[in-house]
Amino acid sequence: MNKKSYTGSEIAELVKGEVIGDGSVVIEGVASLKDANASQLSFVGNRKYQNQMHESTAGAVLICKDLRDEPHNGKCLIVCDNVDLSFSTVIGLFAPAPAVYPREIHDTAAVAENARIGNNVHIGANAIIDAGAEIGDNSVVCAGCYIGQDVRIGTGNLIYPNVTILHRCVLGNNNIIHSGVVIGADGFGFLPTPTGIVKVPQTGIVRIGNNVEIGANTTVDRARFGETWIKDNVKIDDQVMVAHNVVIGENTILVAQCGIAGSAEIGRGVILAAKVGINGHIHIGDGVQVAGTSGVVKSVEPGKIVMGTPAEGQREFMARYTLPGRFEKLQGKVAKLTAELEELKSKLQ
Amino acid sequence: MNKKSYTGSEIAELVKGEVIGDGSVVIEGVASLKDANASQLSFVGNRKYQNQMHESTAGAVLICKDLRDEPHNGKCLIVCDNVDLSFSTVIGLFAPAPAVYPREIHDTAAVAENARIGNNVHIGANAIIDAGAEIGDNSVVCAGCYIGQDVRIGTGNLIYPNVTILHRCVLGNNNIIHSGVVIGADGFGFLPTPTGIVKVPQTGIVRIGNNVEIGANTTVDRARFGETWIKDNVKIDDQVMVAHNVVIGENTILVAQCGIAGSAEIGRGVILAAKVGINGHIHIGDGVQVAGTSGVVKSVEPGKIVMGTPAEGQREFMARYTLPGRFEKLQGKVAKLTAELEELKSKLQ
Amino acid sequence: MNKKSYTGSEIAELVKGEVIGDGSVVIEGVASLKDANASQLSFVGNRKYQNQMHESTAGAVLICKDLRDEPHNGKCLIVCDNVDLSFSTVIGLFAPAPAVYPREIHDTAAVAENARIGNNVHIGANAIIDAGAEIGDNSVVCAGCYIGQDVRIGTGNLIYPNVTILHRCVLGNNNIIHSGVVIGADGFGFLPTPTGIVKVPQTGIVRIGNNVEIGANTTVDRARFGETWIKDNVKIDDQVMVAHNVVIGENTILVAQCGIAGSAEIGRGVILAAKVGINGHIHIGDGVQVAGTSGVVKSVEPGKIVMGTPAEGQREFMARYTLPGRFEKLQGKVAKLTAELEELKSKLQ
């Protein structure tokens, strides 16, 4: 724990913000607007929460420039450029010490004789480093992990407990792999034949670039041949499924429980919201955004926003979504027409 | 195995039921109506299955009061108040002995020197109890589990093999955590900045109350700050994803493959059926029921039943669902109107 | 590595294909049409990719009989009956050596005294074989696996690292179980009672037949009583959820992230595409195909193809899917009718 206290003014200085109100307030932690007490700091990042601020009992509140306001209850308001980044900084001030992974090989780890372990590496209790595997300098392989035969792991990686990385897969540098992840299980390939279903050998690997983060219990399957490839700076949430031969471009974000079918290509800077499914063999262009729970059946042009199942543009989606209301109206019109026609007919008789 | 036999009358006495027909039938096990033989007991909990009963070869059948009936084939019918509870009791009579976890620390477990292990605790083979962790009396931590630094686990917990609980997370008493669960992986928080995607530190914890059950391969992420909190008596199925800072109220049920996005608040006694997605930062009121596969985008008032994606009330959903049929009808009306108008016009010429 | 080279003609002989063009080309690996260089072989399995072939720089291309063509750029075309099978054969020629699992018990494995281990078995590092478990001849149980009390595993199984198989479950022969799989966690059974939610004991097991493959992080829950049963030749992808008392027929395929609720019965030769949900207690007939992301609420007759949520036939689905366009047309007709009626009325006045 590095619990300590800062005044509102000290915090403002740290985040290059401006104090409005009482900068002498003493802050000892962070909390939400709803929960914060007089010695805690909270934040408003969104106009939606601005009213909540004026009812908050927080000792200080970070707010972004655009929402510049009077301090709540005469307390301390700190105006800053990027409230999310600044709030992260303040969280860091009060955060408990992170977990410590001593840079040594635990007695109970099973490290193959011909494995190559770099300098300043942590190999946790009961971790297994199989034959021919290589762990780069400054990497942390936590307790219970299995690192397969001839796996190559670069420098500065943080691999949490109980991760499985199978034979020949390759990780670059500075990746974070969360617990329960499986990298390099066989892709799902079978051929129907007259004598039954035949397994298609999956002889390729998974390649992970640099600065990638992969969430808990996510699975990334090895390629049929060649590589399943997750490029630099990709961020993947929990329980995502990446099938064989998928390629994911730089800076792409995959939110929880997404699934990407075999040989799909995902561009750079794409965002797949939670529970999205991507069909096999299609191409999702750079910068595409897919709304949560959508099922994308066809390739999507760069920069598009798509939603629904099968996924379509926002305009098409809204046309579909608003149908019930528009239908009722049309039904009314038809009823009116029918009545008018009847009236006309009876007049004419 | 505690295999033995009971007469129909003995079973009726145990479940406080009433025998109709032959109470002397000897029962040695349970099975479904379809599969049960003359020495097995089955049950009817639902009018839908009542006909099946009369064709069943089961030696005895439990039935609820409301469905009171003649015994099938002149055999033994046992009428009881709560057929589900009574059938569970009978299953228990014939169940094989449960797995046994000897109350000791296995030789191969790696227990940190400063970990505190209570009385009557099982620590399984190759389990890891990291520095500063605390395991309460009568708790079972099975083989291959990783219990992180400064984790606090209360009394009477049953933690199945290969569970991962990360640093500083807190479990109350009498919880059941199934294999492959990951508690306390980082929440998924990133900020876009001009120089790339920046990780938002996740410095909080996960708190689990008492009498909670968490299904296999479910993940519960730690809070950005403060706590992700699962309150007492919550029951979670397999492969559910609970994001950072989510709060789940007492007695709520989350069925398999649900996902709850960051900072959502789920009330008490809520039921999320399978594969439901809940948007971030929304509030699901007490007693809400969400139909399977729904995507809930907006907050839901207490007691409501919602379905579909985006989720809506049953009436709105049915209006949407029945559109194709109603559309055909309206199309027919318009065709008729068109013909009538044509006829009128040609008459007038 | 068994890297070597073959001529186009040699490969044609191996796959019983016919060379068109230059059979003397030397092939040293495989790649996609897009990526292949002059010493690599690629394939065309689908008319869609036939144009791509003519632009490919691949040294040789496998093509199926139906698409018989001129060789691209005067190079080597190999015509064969089943291009998928033949390409798998060629991949095998160039595949790196598979991972090797020495047929012995690793020093760090924890094998219970009364466990029965067959001949020619691999038990990996830090694997745990609990009391009374049985591992058949020629089976591989990789590092970090937990094999529970009284589990019975047949012959020739390949169980990848960090798999969990719980007490009393039964596997036949020649199955492949991928990392992170959990077999035999409790089914999700709870009864609401006046004094709270009560757990329904799950006293049955999971039975896996022969030649079954189960993908990474999939969970198969034990039965309430009796068996959850996965029959011979079933192929299951990653992150699939199979609930208690489900029965899955022979040769059925479950693609990634499917979920099957309790007591559902899935026939033989069924295909559930990715992310499908199947309701509890329903029956999916033999040969049924369910489109990706569908939610199946009611039983489905053998041989049907269903899609959408709630799932319906293709015709019903298309009627629903094309509604917006058909609605616009009808709206146009109604507008025209209205105008005509107005015109008629004003003429008559």
Side-chain angles (χ1 to χ4, degrees):
Chain A
M1 292 284 199
N2 56 355
K3 194 186 172 185
K4 49 183 296 189
S5 64
Y6 296 80
T7 66
S9 300
E10 283 169 339
I11 289 174
E13 208 179 316
L14 279 165
V15 302
K16 294 182 182 132
E18 174 198 352
V19 169
I20 307 183
D22 177 12
S24 72
V25 59
V26 175
I27 297 300
E28 293 172 341
V30 295
S32 67
L33 281 173
K34 214 175 63 185
D35 296 337
N37 63 35
S39 61
Q40 289 177 314
L41 175 144
S42 191
F43 79 111
V44 179
N46 193 308
R47 198 169 302 276
K48 206 169 121 188
Y49 295 105
Q50 199 155 4
N51 283 336
Q52 236 181 77
M53 180 187 80
H54 286 290
E55 290 157 20
S56 175
T57 53
V61 171
L62 286 174
I63 197 164
C64 62
K65 259 184 181 163
D66 307 352
L67 303 177
R68 192 187 183 87
D69 198 343
E70 292 303 302
H72 58 300
N73 310 315
K75 291 187 174 166
C76 177
L77 199 65
I78 301 173
V79 183
C80 53
D81 284 354
N82 185 329
V83 74
D84 281 319
L85 272 180
S86 298
F87 189 57
S88 277
T89 303
V90 182
I91 290 175
L93 293 179
F94 299 108
V100 173
Y101 304 109
R103 302 310 167 110
E104 58 190 29
I105 299 176
H106 195 276
D107 291 346
T108 60
V111 179
E113 266 182 41
N114 66 347
R116 283 159 296 168
I117 310 295
N119 296 314
N120 198 37
V121 162
H122 169 81
I123 308 286
N126 289 328
I128 300 133
I129 314 293
D130 213 334
E134 186 181 329
I135 313 290
D137 296 347
N138 305 310
S139 281
V140 167
V141 177
C142 289
C145 284
Y146 172 78
I147 307 298
Q149 292 168 27
D150 300 314
V151 165
R152 282 190 291 127
I153 291 178
T155 63
N157 291 283
L158 172 49
I159 302 177
Y160 279 100
N162 288 333
V163 165
T164 305
I165 303 180
L166 293 147
H167 47 288
R168 293 191 288 110
C169 291
V170 175
L171 275 78
N173 307 322
N174 303 317
N175 301 293
I176 301 175
I177 313 294
H178 288 283
S179 295
V181 166
V182 178
I183 294 175
D186 280 355
F188 194 64
F190 297 93
L191 289 173
T193 75
T195 55
I197 304 173
V198 170
K199 180 174 172 71
V200 176
Q202 305 289 313
T203 69
I205 65 163
V206 175
R207 175 180 301 278
I208 309 279
N210 306 304
N211 302 309
V212 169
E213 184 156 345
I214 302 185
N217 282 351
T218 281
T219 57
V220 184
D221 284 356
R222 72 176 56 238
R224 182 180 180 190
F225 62 94
E227 302 176 349
T228 304
W229 188 8
I230 297 180
K231 297 188 181 177
D232 293 357
N233 303 312
V234 169
K235 308 299 179 185
I236 302 180
D237 201 351
D238 296 0
Q239 298 187 31
V240 170
M241 156 62 187
V242 180
H244 52 171
N245 294 87
V246 166
V247 177
I248 302 182
E250 288 86 353
N251 297 302
T252 280
I253 287 176
L254 310 183
V255 184
Q257 297 179 320
C258 282
I260 304 178
S263 300
E265 243 179 282
I266 313 293
R268 303 171 181 208
V270 170
I271 299 175
L272 305 187
K275 286 183 174 288
V276 163
I278 302 288
N279 206 354
H281 295 272
I282 68 173
H283 186 268
I284 306 298
D286 292 350
V288 165
Q289 297 188 19
V290 183
T293 80
S294 303
V296 184
V297 174
K298 295 184 298 190
S299 291
V300 181
E301 295 291 306
K304 297 274 186 213
I305 296 175
V306 298
M307 54 194 64
T309 303
E312 55 198 350
Q314 186 158 19
R315 209 178 122 189
E316 291 77 17
F317 180 83
M318 286 313 294
R320 181 181 306 283
Y321 180 65
T322 58
L323 261 186
R326 294 191 291 146
F327 178 82
E328 302 301 334
K329 273 191 200 158
L330 188 63
Q331 215 171 20
K333 274 190 195 165
V334 172
K336 196 164 154 259
L337 263 183
T338 307
E340 283 178 18
L341 187 60
E342 282 310 308
E343 201 191 317
L344 188 62
K345 278 179 13 186
S346 63
K347 266 188 197 164
L348 289 173
Q349 274 175 346
Chain B
M1 292 285 197
N2 56 353
K3 193 186 172 184
K4 49 182 295 188
S5 64
Y6 297 81
T7 65
S9 300
E10 284 170 338
I11 289 174
E13 207 179 315
L14 279 164
V15 301
K16 293 182 183 133
E18 174 198 353
V19 170
I20 307 184
D22 177 12
S24 71
V25 58
V26 175
I27 297 300
E28 293 173 340
V30 294
S32 68
L33 280 173
K34 214 175 63 184
D35 296 336
N37 63 34
S39 61
Q40 288 177 316
L41 175 144
S42 192
F43 79 109
V44 180
N46 192 307
R47 198 170 301 277
K48 207 168 120 186
Y49 296 105
Q50 198 156 2
N51 283 335
Q52 238 181 77
M53 180 187 82
H54 286 288
E55 291 156 20
S56 175
T57 53
V61 171
L62 285 175
I63 197 164
C64 63
K65 259 184 182 162
D66 306 351
L67 304 178
R68 191 187 183 87
D69 198 344
E70 291 303 300
H72 58 300
N73 310 314
K75 291 189 175 165
C76 176
L77 198 65
I78 302 172
V79 182
C80 54
D81 283 354
N82 185 329
V83 74
D84 281 318
L85 270 180
S86 297
F87 190 56
S88 277
T89 302
V90 182
I91 290 175
L93 293 179
F94 300 108
V100 173
Y101 303 110
R103 302 310 168 110
E104 59 190 27
I105 299 176
H106 195 277
D107 291 345
T108 60
V111 179
E113 265 181 44
N114 65 347
R116 282 158 296 168
I117 310 294
N119 295 315
N120 198 36
V121 163
H122 169 81
I123 308 287
N126 289 328
I128 300 132
I129 314 293
D130 213 335
E134 186 181 329
I135 312 290
D137 295 348
N138 304 310
S139 280
V140 167
V141 178
C142 289
C145 284
Y146 172 78
I147 307 299
Q149 293 167 28
D150 300 314
V151 164
R152 284 190 289 129
I153 292 179
T155 62
N157 291 283
L158 171 49
I159 303 178
Y160 278 100
N162 288 333
V163 165
T164 305
I165 303 179
L166 293 146
H167 47 288
R168 293 192 286 111
C169 292
V170 175
L171 276 77
N173 306 323
N174 303 317
N175 300 293
I176 301 176
I177 312 294
H178 288 284
S179 294
V181 165
V182 177
I183 294 174
D186 279 355
F188 194 64
F190 297 93
L191 289 174
T193 75
T195 56
I197 304 174
V198 170
K199 181 174 172 71
V200 176
Q202 305 288 314
T203 69
I205 66 163
V206 175
R207 175 180 301 277
I208 309 280
N210 305 304
N211 303 309
V212 169
E213 183 156 346
I214 301 184
N217 283 351
T218 282
T219 56
V220 184
D221 285 356
R222 75 175 56 238
R224 183 180 181 190
F225 63 93
E227 303 176 349
T228 304
W229 187 9
I230 297 180
K231 297 187 181 176
D232 294 357
N233 304 313
V234 169
K235 309 298 180 183
I236 303 180
D237 200 350
D238 296 0
Q239 298 186 33
V240 169
M241 156 61 185
V242 180
H244 52 173
N245 293 88
V246 166
V247 176
I248 301 182
E250 289 86 353
N251 297 302
T252 279
I253 288 176
L254 311 183
V255 183
Q257 297 180 320
C258 283
I260 304 177
S263 300
E265 243 179 284
I266 313 293
R268 302 171 181 209
V270 170
I271 299 176
L272 305 187
K275 287 182 174 289
V276 163
I278 301 289
N279 207 354
H281 294 275
I282 67 174
H283 186 269
I284 306 298
D286 293 350
V288 165
Q289 298 187 19
V290 184
T293 80
S294 304
V296 185
V297 174
K298 295 183 297 189
S299 292
V300 180
E301 295 292 306
K304 297 273 185 211
I305 297 175
V306 298
M307 52 194 65
T309 304
E312 54 198 350
Q314 186 158 16
R315 208 176 126 190
E316 291 76 18
F317 180 83
M318 287 312 294
R320 181 181 306 283
Y321 180 65
T322 58
L323 261 187
R326 293 192 292 145
F327 178 81
E328 302 302 334
K329 273 191 202 158
L330 189 63
Q331 215 170 22
K333 274 190 195 164
V334 172
K336 196 163 155 257
L337 262 184
T338 307
E340 283 179 17
L341 187 59
E342 282 310 308
E343 201 192 317
L344 188 61
K345 277 174 21 181
S346 63
K347 266 190 198 162
L348 288 174
Q349 274 177 346
Chain C
M1 291 286 198
N2 56 354
K3 193 187 172 183
K4 51 181 295 188
S5 64
Y6 297 80
T7 65
S9 300
E10 285 169 339
I11 288 173
E13 208 180 315
L14 280 164
V15 303
K16 294 181 180 132
E18 174 198 352
V19 169
I20 307 183
D22 177 12
S24 70
V25 59
V26 175
I27 298 301
E28 293 172 339
V30 294
S32 68
L33 282 173
K34 215 175 62 185
D35 297 336
N37 63 35
S39 60
Q40 288 178 315
L41 176 144
S42 192
F43 79 110
V44 179
N46 192 307
R47 199 170 301 278
K48 207 169 119 188
Y49 296 106
Q50 199 156 3
N51 283 334
Q52 236 181 78
M53 180 188 80
H54 286 290
E55 290 158 18
S56 175
T57 53
V61 171
L62 286 175
I63 197 163
C64 63
K65 259 184 181 161
D66 306 351
L67 304 178
R68 192 186 183 88
D69 199 345
E70 292 303 301
H72 58 299
N73 310 313
K75 292 189 173 164
C76 176
L77 199 65
I78 301 172
V79 183
C80 54
D81 283 354
N82 185 328
V83 74
D84 281 319
L85 270 180
S86 298
F87 188 56
S88 277
T89 303
V90 182
I91 290 176
L93 293 178
F94 300 109
V100 173
Y101 303 108
R103 301 310 167 111
E104 58 189 28
I105 299 175
H106 195 278
D107 292 345
T108 60
V111 179
E113 265 181 43
N114 65 346
R116 282 158 296 168
I117 310 295
N119 295 314
N120 198 35
V121 163
H122 169 81
I123 308 286
N126 289 328
I128 299 132
I129 314 293
D130 214 333
E134 185 180 331
I135 313 290
D137 295 348
N138 304 310
S139 280
V140 167
V141 178
C142 289
C145 284
Y146 173 78
I147 307 298
Q149 292 167 28
D150 300 313
V151 165
R152 283 191 290 127
I153 292 179
T155 63
N157 291 284
L158 171 49
I159 303 177
Y160 278 100
N162 287 333
V163 164
T164 305
I165 303 180
L166 293 147
H167 47 289
R168 293 191 286 110
C169 292
V170 175
L171 275 78
N173 306 322
N174 303 317
N175 300 294
I176 301 176
I177 313 294
H178 288 283
S179 295
V181 166
V182 177
I183 294 175
D186 279 355
F188 194 64
F190 296 93
L191 290 174
T193 74
T195 55
I197 304 174
V198 170
K199 180 174 172 71
V200 176
Q202 305 289 312
T203 69
I205 66 163
V206 175
R207 174 180 302 277
I208 309 280
N210 305 304
N211 302 309
V212 170
E213 184 157 345
I214 302 184
N217 282 352
T218 281
T219 56
V220 184
D221 284 355
R222 74 177 53 239
R224 182 181 180 191
F225 63 95
E227 301 176 351
T228 303
W229 187 9
I230 297 181
K231 297 188 181 176
D232 293 357
N233 304 312
V234 169
K235 309 298 180 184
I236 303 180
D237 200 351
D238 297 359
Q239 297 186 34
V240 170
M241 155 62 186
V242 179
H244 52 172
N245 294 87
V246 166
V247 177
I248 301 182
E250 288 86 353
N251 297 302
T252 280
I253 288 177
L254 311 183
V255 183
Q257 296 179 320
C258 282
I260 303 178
S263 301
E265 244 179 283
I266 313 292
R268 302 170 181 211
V270 170
I271 299 177
L272 305 187
K275 286 183 175 289
V276 162
I278 301 288
N279 207 353
H281 294 273
I282 67 173
H283 186 268
I284 306 298
D286 292 349
V288 165
Q289 297 187 19
V290 184
T293 80
S294 304
V296 184
V297 174
K298 294 184 298 190
S299 292
V300 181
E301 295 292 307
K304 297 273 184 212
I305 297 176
V306 298
M307 53 194 63
T309 303
E312 54 197 350
Q314 187 159 18
R315 208 175 124 191
E316 290 77 19
F317 180 83
M318 286 312 294
R320 182 182 306 283
Y321 179 66
T322 58
L323 262 187
R326 294 192 291 145
F327 178 82
E328 302 301 333
K329 273 192 201 156
L330 189 63
Q331 214 170 22
K333 273 191 195 162
V334 172
K336 196 164 154 257
L337 262 182
T338 308
E340 283 179 19
L341 187 59
E342 282 309 307
E343 202 192 316
L344 188 62
K345 278 174 21 181
S346 63
K347 266 188 198 164
L348 288 173
Q349 274 177 344

